[in-house]
Each structure stands twice: as structure tokens, then as C-alpha cells.
Amino acid sequence: MPTGLIVKALSGYYYVLADDEQTTEAVQCRARGIFKKRGISPLVGDRVVYGLTENGEGTVDEILPRSSELIRPPVANIDLAVLVFSVTEPALNLPLLDKFLVHTESAGLDTLICLTKHDLLSEGSSPGGVSEELAPVIRLYESIGYPMLVTSAKEGVGVSEIYGRLAGRIGVVAGQSGVGKSSLLNAMVPGLSLETNEISMKLGRGKHTTRHVELIRLQNGGLIADTPGFSQLDFLQVDAEGLSGAFREFAPYAAACRFRGCLHLHEPGCKVQEAKEAGHIAASRYNHYIQFLNEIKDKKRRY
Ligand SMILES: Nc1nc2c(ncn2[C@@H]2O[C@H](COP(=O)(O)OP(=O)(O)O)[C@@H](O)[C@H]2O)c(=O)[nH]1
Ligand SMILES: [Mg+2]
Ligand SMILES: [Zn+2]
């Protein structure tokens, strides 16, 4: 039986791209009833075994083991999360960036941070360089170990770099609405014309509100999913201790805290707090950690 990749899920159908190179059209498939019974649903990004039925459609018969699974957006087997933030319009939102990073860390994903719409800042920037206000942000996240790209879909800056990092991998683009995700993809894929500036769509209530995820094929063997903007993420899967683990740069200090399970709040002998006081951990990162910790505790209280 043939194998393939689910590139789109819509209205109960799964669109499977065959692994054999002959076919380029995705096969429209239903999932077998057995999945529902087991409480499993196929996800975009799933590698599957499928069968063809007489009417030219198919059935997803088996889901091959997943390497990763995101709930929001619902995608499996992601290799790279591309987090898109505009430097302005909307303003760079570092709490949200840190929140996204908690998610990508706890899902075990590689992450690439793109700061886009750089053309809008260029007045104050040094020639060919990065504007002064961005430099410390870039330095901070690079020091933690996150690759950063400064991009502009409008001027085609940094687009081929994102493309190159997706070669042979499955990526997902995530970020607030209006930051320029679709514009970046349009700049990356010749002939692609994803709708941009979806604000008008949001206002038109009653319009099609189904937010589906679709993988777009790149010529270098990569696949990338655009996602509808989401400004809010909740921490359903992350608990208080997991949260600390999702702040990468805390790890060497957290390991030396006096108490096991230290939450780095006011505990004596907390090396994370010490590192923050000494400036080895950025105050912004520590503060966001505390903020998220409170959100997780609030959430727990409500259940
Ligand atoms: N100046 C400038 N505007 C951009 C850039 N990228 C996107 N935009 C604009 O920002 C708005 C939102 O872009 P869109 O791609 O729809 O964002 P999305 O909601 O994240 O997919 C649109 O009006 C775009 O034209 C950029 O690099 N520079
Ligand atoms: Mg978009
Ligand atoms: Zn501690």
C-alpha cells in the first residue's frame, strides 16, 4: 500500500501527497473509522499509509509514528518552527516571543526567529546593518542559542535564508496576525499568493471561519505551513516545572539550586535568581518566566 504525507485537512478530508514522485496531486482521503474509535485523528504533517478507493478518493489506513505533535496549530512531524515577529506594526512583542519559545522548547522543536518588516525601521539603522534598537534583542536571543534573521518581505531581505533552512524539512510559521507571515511565504514561493492583510477577513463575521492548516511544498524538498495568526497561547501541556526547563539558559543554574523542584521564585539558594541579579540571565526573560508561572498556577486553580 502506498505511503504519503498529509498536506491539508479540511471538512473531514485529508489530502495525501504520495511519496512516489510520479503523482503531484494530493489524493483526497477519508480517515478510517478505527481512528475515531481510538480517539486519534490524523494531523497535517502525518506520514500515512493509504489506500485508493474506486471513486478516485482514498482512505487513510495507518498513521506512521510521529516525531512531534503540536496541538495549536495542529501539525505533526515539524522539524522547524519559524517564529515571525514584526519589528514594528505591530510592535515587537517580547513576552509573546518568550511564550512561543516555551511552546517550541516543550515540543522539542528547532526554532528560527524572524524579525520582519525591517524596511519600516531602516531610517534609523546603520547602512546595511541592523537598527540600534534591535541589536540588543538579537544579541540576547542568539546568546541563548536561537538563530535570528532580520527580514523584509517587501524588500526581499532574508527570504532566501529562511528558504535555505527549510530544505528537506517540515516547517511551520507562527506569529501574531499582521506580522507578515503570509507575505514572507509569498516572497519565498514563486507563484504562491496567500491572502495577506487578513484583518478585513476577521471583521467580516460569519465568513468562513474554519482555520485550516496546509503544507506548501518548496522546491528544495521542504514543506512549510502558514498558520492563522494567534495572539494567545495557553499552557495546557506545560506544568510549572516544565516551564523552567523551557527557558534554556536557566538550565545550568537550575541544576545548582539548593532545592530540587525549585521554581526560582523566592527559594533560598536559588541559583537562577542569583544569575538574574548578576545579569547572567536577562531580566526580561526572568520576568516573563514569573508571569507564565503565575498563568499556569491560575489555570490550575480554575480546574
Ligand atoms: N513594510 C512592510 N510591510 C509588510 C512586510 N511584510 C508584510 N507587510 C504588510 O503587513 C501586513 C500583514 O501582512 P501578512 O503577510 O498578511 O501578515 P500575517 O497576518 O502574519 O500573515 C500586510 O499589509 C503586508 O503588506 C514587510 O516586510 N515590510
Ligand atoms: Mg497570514
Ligand atoms: Zn532556583
Side-chain angles (χ1 to χ4, degrees):
M1 285 234 270
T3 54
L5 176 81
I6 299 180
V7 291
K8 183 166 96 171
L10 193 61
S11 312
Y13 279 110
Y14 299 94
Y15 295 82
V16 178
L17 205 58
D19 283 337
D20 79 74
E21 301 284 300
Q22 256 84 318
T23 17
T24 50
E25 279 282 297
V27 182
Q28 179 171 311
C29 295
R30 291 276 187 199
R32 280 188 25 179
I34 183 98
F35 295 124
K36 202 165 213 169
K37 255 184 247 159
R38 290 198 213 133
I40 307 167
S41 50
L43 291 174
V44 170
D46 266 330
R47 305 208 166 270
V48 298
V49 177
Y50 68 102
L52 292 171
T53 50
E54 282 115 56
N55 59 3
E57 296 189 352
T59 53
V60 172
D61 293 322
E62 191 186 335
I63 301 171
L64 300 177
R66 292 172 179 157
S67 63
S68 69
E69 185 182 324
L70 284 186
I71 290 180
R72 252 208 281 173
V75 235
N77 298 321
I78 294 294
D79 301 301
L80 182 71
V82 181
L83 303 184
V84 180
F85 283 78
S86 48
V87 294
T88 179
E89 298 176 29
L92 185 53
N93 183 336
L94 292 185
L96 190 64
L97 172 56
D98 286 337
K99 199 174 253 195
F100 272 60
L101 289 172
V102 168
H103 282 261
T104 56
E105 285 293 330
S106 46
L109 303 178
D110 254 4
T111 306
L112 172 65
I113 301 169
C114 293
L115 302 180
T116 197
K117 303 198 190 184
H118 192 245
D119 57 282
L120 294 178
L121 278 194
S122 51
E123 264 172 41
S125 71
S126 52
V130 164
S131 50
E132 265 171 46
E133 51 197 298
L134 281 189
V137 175
I138 294 172
R139 230 178 294 127
L140 167 60
Y141 288 93
E142 282 185 340
S143 76
I144 299 169
Y146 296 113
M148 301 279 276
L149 281 177
V150 174
T151 63
S152 163
K154 198 174 170 196
E155 296 183 341
V157 174
V159 173
S160 58
E161 281 83 350
I162 308 176
Y163 182 84
R165 286 178 197 250
L166 285 162
R169 308 170 86 188
I170 301 181
V172 66
V173 174
Q176 261 174 301
S177 181
V179 293
K181 298 179 297 296
S182 302
S183 302
L184 277 179
L185 290 184
N186 285 341
M188 207 159 40
V189 183
L192 185 68
S193 53
L194 297 173
E195 218 176 314
T196 57
N197 208 357
E198 287 162 31
I199 290 149
S200 54
M201 244 177 67
K202 265 204 304 197
L203 292 177
R205 270 209 295 162
K207 263 194 179 177
H208 213 53
T209 48
T210 322
R211 307 191 131 191
H212 75 279
V213 184
E214 180 168 358
L215 287 171
I216 298 154
R217 214 167 3 168
L218 305 177
Q219 268 156 353
N220 59 12
L223 289 146
I224 181 92
D226 188 15
T227 62
F230 42 101
S231 52
Q232 209 191 333
L233 287 169
D234 43 35
F235 289 117
L236 283 179
Q237 296 153 290
V238 187
D239 59 15
E241 281 186 37
L243 182 68
S244 163
F247 280 74
R248 262 191 209 182
E249 75 275 37
F250 289 12
Y253 306 105
C257 288
R258 186 182 305 162
F259 299 110
R260 269 230 246 161
C262 181
L263 292 179
H264 326 306
L265 281 165
H266 311 287
E267 297 91 336
C270 172
K271 297 294 172 192
V272 169
Q273 291 171 74
E274 276 178 28
K276 192 228 18 175
E277 294 306 328
H280 302 312
I281 286 175
S284 66
R285 292 273 292 169
Y286 180 80
N287 293 340
H288 296 155
Y289 164 77
I290 298 295
Q291 188 184 316
F292 302 159
L293 192 61
N294 288 329
E295 282 179 35
I296 289 171
K297 285 181 178 166
D298 282 348
K299 177 144 256 155
K300 230 174 148 184
R301 229 170 277 140
R302 270 185 271 132
Y303 283 115

